[in-house]
């Protein structure tokens, strides 16, 4: 946790990767949120977001969507959006099904920002599926 406050971006990024892979991540949620919104280097944002998404669970996705909904700086928004939009695990049929399930679950989240981001991401996926089925 101390590394999350390092003046070196590479140390903060490493801390983000390590904390994102924690088995019980609930105690580190605030630190991860801060690293996702790192004000000094988008490398920290990118590394932390990718590590959270690599978990392939709803908690990791939710954490990234919560940060995305609160990001103010353009470069941070771009980095978080890129991590979500370009996650290679969602490029497979199984990965897309998992993403859709997680986003549908997150549409009912207590956090309005998470709900909005989940809905925003889910709409084009469902539209694409309908156009392929029709």
């Amino acid at each position: 946790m101390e590394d999350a406050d390092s003046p070196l971006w590479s140390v903060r990024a490493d801390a983000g990767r390590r904390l994102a892979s924690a088995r019980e991540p609930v105690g580190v949620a605030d630190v991860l949120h801060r690293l996702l919104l790192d004000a000094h280097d988008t490398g920290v944002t990118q590394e932390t977001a990718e590590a959270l998404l690599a978990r392939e669970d709803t908690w990791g996705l939710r954490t990234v969507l919560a940060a995305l909904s609160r990001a103010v700086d353009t470069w941070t928004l771009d980095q978080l959006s890129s991590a979500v939009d370009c996650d290679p695990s969602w490029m497979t049929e199984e990965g897309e099904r998992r993403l859709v399930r997680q986003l549908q679950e997150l549409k009912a989240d207590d956090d309005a920002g998470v709900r909005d981001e989940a809905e925003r991401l889910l709409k084009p996926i469902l539209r694409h599926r309908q156009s392929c089925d029709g």
Side-chain angles (χ1 to χ4, degrees):
M1 293 261 245
E2 290 176 19
D3 288 346
D5 294 321
S6 172
L8 300 173
W9 80 269
S10 59
V11 174
R12 291 192 315 277
D14 187 50
R17 286 190 300 273
R18 283 193 321 270
L19 293 171
S21 65
R23 277 194 174 159
E24 297 295 327
V26 177
V28 298
D30 290 339
V31 177
L32 284 166
H33 184 75
R34 187 166 34 92
L35 291 168
L36 286 167
L37 299 176
D38 190 276
H40 304 290
D41 199 298
T42 58
V44 177
T45 301
Q46 176 183 348
E47 294 292 324
T48 305
E50 288 176 358
L52 283 162
L53 295 173
R55 294 172 60 95
E56 296 185 353
D57 64 5
T58 303
W59 190 88
L61 177 59
R62 183 199 184 284
T63 303
V64 174
L65 294 185
L68 184 57
S69 74
R70 289 167 182 78
V72 176
D73 298 320
T74 302
W75 48 87
T76 303
L77 280 165
D78 288 347
Q79 200 65 55
L80 289 168
S81 293
S82 176
V84 171
D85 294 341
C86 301
D87 187 324
S89 71
W90 296 331
M91 303 304 165
T92 66
E93 191 173 318
E94 178 186 332
E96 183 182 286
R97 280 195 306 271
R98 183 181 67 250
L99 174 62
V100 168
R101 268 193 321 272
Q102 291 171 342
L103 290 172
Q104 287 173 330
E105 180 182 337
L106 291 171
K107 281 179 30 178
D109 196 87
D110 291 339
D111 184 309
V114 171
R115 287 193 309 268
D116 291 348
E117 289 299 325
E119 181 70 30
R120 181 185 66 80
L121 291 168
L122 190 58
K123 278 183 181 180
I125 296 169
L126 296 178
R127 268 197 308 265
H128 176 70
R129 282 182 166 185
Q130 287 175 344
S131 69
C132 290
D133 291 342

